[in-house]
Amino acid sequence: FALYLVGVLVLSMGVSFAYFSANSSVTSNGSVATNTAATIESKGITADGNIEFNNVDMYPGHTAIASIRVTGTGNNEPLMYNVIFNGSSTFTTPLNYTVYKSDANIDASYSCEIRQGRIGTSKTYYEECSGNNIESLGSPISSGTINNGSGKTILKNDEIMLTAPEGEIVYYYVVIEYPNLDANQNDDMGSSINGNITIEQGSEYQKPSISMVASTVSGNNNWYTSASVITNITTQTNNYEAYYCTTTNNSCTPDTQANVSDNSFTTSLSSNASPQKVCARVVDEYNQTTEGCSEAYSVDTVNPTISITSTSATENSISVTVSGSDAHSGIYQYRFSSNGGSSYTTVTTSNSSYTYTFNNLESGTSYNIAVQSVDRSGRTSSRVTRNVITDINYCPEGSTACNTILANKTISDARNGAITGTLTTNTTGTVYRVADDDGDSYVFAGAPTDNWVSFAGFYWRIIRINGDGSIRLIYNGNSTATTGEGTMINSSQAFNTNYDDNAYVGYMYGSTRANSYASTHTNTNNSSIKTVVDNWYRDHLLQYAQYISTEAGFCGDRKIASGYSGYGTLGYGTNATVYAPTSRFMSADWSWLGTQNPTLKCSQSNDLYTVSGSSKGNHALTYPIGLITADEVVLAGGFGGATSSNSSYYLYNNAYYWLMTPSYLVSDSIVGSHAGVFAMYPDGNLYHNWGNNTFGVRPVINLSADVTITGTGTMSDPYVVS
């Protein structure tokens, strides 16, 4: 290799003076740098270049540049070396050096001129230097100082060259400066620097290395609920690229570039039915490649699914059949709970379908069944729930007709609470459980087609099965096709001929113009409408009395409400009074409630009308017949208010007819005293009206709990009392 470029030491410009001595005379011939050729070899690396500074006068500010050409010959392998200055300096002042690196041979140099100055009477000498083509060298790669003494100064360590068969060439340019420190530098008088710039063998080049560590969450059966592989990279240089792939086989080609941060990257393993591993490859800037593979992991990151396909119940057990699915690790277990998930029973099975039975349960009780599936990775499905009611003998002992009617019915609790509107849908096959004074009533609501009864030569509709097992019926005329006036025994009847006293809100009543609630609401006198109903019973039903309950009774709720402006709570004479049923349907400002609260529990014992010999009520009725209540109308699908019409439920007959529920008594100087009672309006909505108005009459009776019936309850096959 030929020697390239000598270092010409030239002095840099200084703005202040530095000096050796005030009295000495120092001469200089321009500080010529002499050089000789040198070739150094280190594992395929050769260097050409040398620089010597001997017996040369250098003034502060002097700057010189030298270069060395380094050639790497080999089989495309990277080799490491250090660029060094090997020599000695007798300067007390450290000499600055700066190293540049280039792939090109650049003609760079410095030229310096000696300048003379004065400090007081003393002469000072320094040099002003300028560079030629220095900017073409680019940015420095290293800098430092050469200190007083002899030996080796590493100018740039851990240089790496990728050798080539034909030789790879790089140039280093070293600038050396004797700085102008603007201070007395007399100690440097007669000093010199001697040496050469060359290379020495560096460390062994290390190929990239890979270490792979897994971060996992264990499941069951050697499966993992999650797994990721962290690939840590160590390289001789930070300029590299990393690639990866995942495979269920022994190997794959890493072809996806990794997003490396802090010399590592993470690969998350996705769900798969087979074990997976990560293959990684790192290529550094010298095309040195290392590959590695992780261990294989069976990973399932997706929760299994489950559904309830069917349930069945007996009086003390519930069986639930579930279907589970998992596309990766597979079903491992099922979990069953009868308390909504507070506690579970676990069954280990891989079957896609499984039936579990809860035993020793309470009859007639609603259980919140909850199920989950678990896959082999240990992941659990979302909880699926279903409310299931254990079977119950819904009917009291001896209630033959009740058992027949409920045999194939769905029992719903949907109307056991606040009612927010009319019910117009076809509800055939469903009855609604609502609490009453004897237990649970089973109410027909909406537009059922299976609550028809043929009895005593007339057709009736079932309102509800009472809590004592008796069957409450409302008159519907001579055929199933009857509507309007034909569904009533009288189409023009006053509730009470008189209406100017609180007494007249009652189906039965006590003294008028009384001075107490008790005397006003005793059951001494019959209302006008009760007389009509009793007479009809005597003429048409008395011969069937053995089939009619005398125990069920009829509620005429006369409990008093409070909170209505201008209305007190006395309930007697002509005192303005609001009765409790109104408070369930109307607010204190007399607007109809958007949520109405009917009840089948009679609010006061003296408002439950029964006949003599009954074990409950006040035994005031002559015959076991009455009228439907406002609460029963709302539960059946009606609703209070002029905008709540309903022509699509079974109580609708396109006519006015009386209910037996009191509403209020208004008393003022303009209208006088008017007793109000609830009525059904022709559009099917619930409203109230003065008791002296004339509306229709639809009697209500209760079949005894022990009657036997046949039929299915439809228009063509109504229930018939045997």
Side-chain angles (χ1 to χ4, degrees):
F1 298 99
L3 170 69
Y4 177 71
L5 196 65
V6 300
V8 181
L9 288 180
V10 189
L11 298 179
S12 170
M13 184 169 70
V15 297
S16 301
F17 300 129
Y19 55 90
F20 290 106
S21 171
N23 301 314
S24 301
S25 175
V26 182
T27 61
S28 173
N29 62 1
S31 297
V32 175
T34 61
N35 43 266
T36 59
T39 298
I40 302 170
E41 181 172 347
S42 174
K43 279 191 162 185
I45 300 291
T46 59
D48 302 327
N50 192 20
I51 182 167
E52 293 185 0
F53 305 98
N54 291 315
N55 301 318
V56 175
D57 291 328
M58 291 186 293
Y59 295 99
H62 183 85
T63 304
I65 186 170
S67 71
I68 180 173
R69 182 178 70 183
V70 178
T71 303
T73 305
N75 295 322
N76 297 309
E77 60 178 332
L79 296 176
M80 296 180 65
Y81 57 92
N82 300 328
V83 179
I84 64 172
F85 169 78
N86 198 12
S88 64
S89 171
T90 61
F91 285 93
T92 300
T93 301
L95 303 181
N96 297 332
Y97 72 83
T98 304
V99 182
Y100 300 86
K101 182 179 182 180
S102 175
D103 293 333
N105 183 353
I106 298 172
D107 185 11
S109 62
Y110 280 90
S111 60
C112 302
E113 294 183 0
I114 300 174
R115 296 285 188 265
Q116 178 179 303
R118 285 183 177 275
I119 297 179
T121 59
S122 301
K123 293 181 179 180
T124 63
Y125 296 89
Y126 64 96
E127 296 190 62
E128 289 185 353
C129 304
S130 60
N132 175 45
N133 217 18
I134 299 300
E135 67 278 357
S136 298
L137 300 178
S139 300
I141 64 170
S142 180
S143 62
T145 59
I146 299 174
N147 298 316
N148 178 276
S150 60
K152 175 178 67 174
T153 300
I154 297 178
L155 306 180
K156 181 66 174 71
N157 68 332
D158 290 336
E159 282 291 283
I160 304 172
M161 177 181 287
L162 183 64
T163 63
E166 66 278 9
E168 184 72 21
I169 298 176
V170 66
Y171 299 89
Y172 295 92
Y173 299 86
V174 181
V175 174
I176 298 178
E177 175 198 10
Y178 174 30
N180 183 352
L181 302 179
D182 295 339
N184 190 331
Q185 292 175 288
N186 287 339
D187 291 344
D188 286 333
M189 184 179 296
S191 298
S192 64
I193 179 173
N194 299 281
N196 53 61
I197 299 170
T198 183
I199 62 170
E200 68 176 3
Q201 179 178 344
S203 304
E204 185 76 19
Y205 183 84
Q206 301 295 320
K207 292 181 64 175
S209 64
I210 295 174
S211 66
M212 306 179 81
V213 180
S215 175
T216 62
V217 177
S218 296
N220 303 308
N221 307 294
N222 298 318
W223 280 85
Y224 297 88
T225 60
S226 67
S228 57
V229 174
I230 303 170
T231 302
N232 297 303
I233 302 168
T234 303
T235 59
Q236 196 73 55
T237 173
N238 286 327
N239 187 12
Y240 61 86
E241 291 182 342
Y243 302 86
Y244 71 93
C245 62
T246 60
T247 180
T248 57
N249 300 316
N250 291 329
S251 64
C252 62
T253 301
D255 52 7
T256 300
Q257 188 164 2
N259 183 14
V260 180
S261 176
D262 294 330
N263 295 322
S264 70
F265 66 90
T266 301
T267 306
S268 296
L269 297 176
S270 59
S271 291
N272 199 282
S274 301
Q276 302 170 82
K277 60 182 176 180
V278 177
C279 297
R281 176 166 57 93
V282 177
V283 183
D284 69 14
E285 64 178 296
Y286 299 105
N287 205 34
Q288 302 303 296
T289 301
T290 298
E291 292 190 352
C293 290
S294 71
E295 295 183 18
Y297 301 92
S298 297
V299 181
D300 188 350
T301 65
V302 178
N303 291 343
T305 62
I306 193 171
S307 62
I308 297 176
T309 57
S310 66
T311 59
S312 61
T314 68
E315 290 187 23
N316 56 15
S317 70
I318 294 175
S319 294
V320 54
T321 300
V322 297
S323 176
S325 176
D326 186 86
H328 304 110
S329 60
I331 293 295
Y332 175 59
Q333 290 176 330
Y334 292 106
R335 306 176 71 205
F336 299 92
S337 172
S338 61
N339 52 23
S342 296
S343 60
Y344 284 95
T345 297
T346 300
V347 177
T348 301
T349 179
S350 60
N351 292 342
S352 60
S353 179
Y354 187 81
T355 300
Y356 181 80
T357 300
F358 299 94
N359 293 306
N360 301 317
L361 304 180
E362 296 291 330
S363 64
T365 303
S366 179
Y367 288 89
N368 186 8
I369 303 300
V371 297
Q372 290 180 307
S373 61
V374 182
D375 64 20
R376 292 183 180 275
S377 74
R379 289 188 170 272
T380 303
S381 71
S382 298
R383 183 176 58 186
V384 175
T385 62
R386 180 177 296 181
N387 286 325
V388 182
I389 302 174
T390 51
D391 285 348
I392 187 174
N393 187 357
Y394 294 106
C395 306
E397 186 177 354
S399 302
T400 309
C402 173
N403 287 321
T404 301
I405 295 170
L406 295 185
N408 297 308
K409 295 292 189 294
T410 297
I411 309 298
S412 172
D413 290 322
R415 302 190 75 75
N416 191 7
I419 303 296
T420 58
T422 61
L423 181 63
T424 62
T425 56
N426 184 335
T427 56
T428 301
T430 297
V431 292
Y432 299 87
R433 178 166 44 195
V434 180
D436 68 12
D437 290 314
D438 295 309
D440 287 327
S441 276
Y442 297 94
V443 175
F444 283 86
T449 62
D450 55 355
N451 68 334
W452 287 94
V453 174
S454 175
F455 173 67
F458 303 105
Y459 285 91
W460 310 74
R461 303 298 291 270
I462 303 175
I463 299 172
R464 58 183 170 119
I465 302 172
N466 300 312
D468 65 359
S470 59
I471 314 299
R472 189 177 298 261
L473 309 179
I474 186 169
Y475 180 82
N476 203 79
N478 296 318
S479 76
T480 57
T482 303
T483 60
E485 292 185 5
T487 63
M488 302 180 289
I489 64 170
N490 187 330
S491 63
S492 182
Q493 172 61 47
F495 194 86
N496 265 311
T497 304
N498 297 315
Y499 59 93
D500 59 351
D501 193 286
N502 273 286
Y504 297 125
V505 301
Y507 188 65
M508 297 187 73
Y509 59 90
S511 301
T512 59
R513 300 299 189 266
N515 60 2
S516 70
Y517 174 90
S519 59
T520 299
H521 296 294
T522 58
N523 297 320
T524 305
N525 303 302
N526 290 335
S527 63
S528 300
I529 198 169
K530 179 179 182 299
T531 300
V532 171
V533 170
D534 283 353
N535 289 340
W536 186 85
Y537 182 93
R538 180 196 62 206
D539 295 339
H540 296 88
L541 299 182
L542 189 56
Q543 59 182 313
Y544 302 100
Q546 61 178 315
Y547 303 107
I548 300 174
S549 172
T550 59
E551 291 281 340
F554 302 89
C555 187
D557 187 356
R558 288 174 290 189
K559 184 178 180 181
I560 296 176
S562 62
Y564 290 78
S565 179
Y567 290 80
T569 59
L570 297 176
Y572 57 83
T574 60
N575 294 294
T577 304
V578 177
Y579 291 90
T582 298
S583 67
R584 297 196 284 271
F585 309 123
M586 301 189 75
S587 63
D589 63 359
W590 294 100
S591 61
W592 290 94
L593 293 171
T595 299
Q596 300 180 358
N597 300 276
T599 180
L600 293 180
K601 292 187 176 182
C602 206
S603 60
Q604 291 179 303
S605 61
N606 70 331
D607 288 336
L608 183 62
Y609 302 111
T610 58
V611 299
S612 178
S614 170
S615 62
K616 56 189 176 182
N618 64 358
H619 318 310
L621 296 181
T622 305
Y623 300 114
I625 190 168
L627 300 175
I628 193 170
T629 67
D631 298 271
E632 289 172 329
V633 169
V634 173
L635 285 169
F639 202 74
T643 60
S644 302
S645 60
N646 184 359
S647 60
S648 299
Y649 73 127
Y650 76 93
L651 292 178
Y652 171 79
N653 68 348
N654 194 30
Y656 291 97
Y657 60 90
W658 285 112
L659 314 181
M660 70 180 302
T661 304
S663 58
Y664 61 92
L665 183 131
V666 62
S667 181
D668 60 41
S669 59
I670 298 175
V671 300
S673 298
H674 284 69
V677 180
F678 280 98
M680 177 74 78
Y681 272 43
D683 59 1
N685 72 317
L686 180 71
Y687 216 75
H688 41 205
N689 216 304
W690 309 133
N692 65 316
N693 286 322
T694 55
F695 295 159
V697 182
R698 295 185 72 180
V700 171
I701 62 173
N702 299 282
L703 292 177
S704 296
D706 60 355
V707 299
T708 301
I709 60 174
T710 60
T712 58
T714 64
M715 295 177 70
S716 59
D717 185 28
Y719 295 118
V720 177
V721 177
S722 300

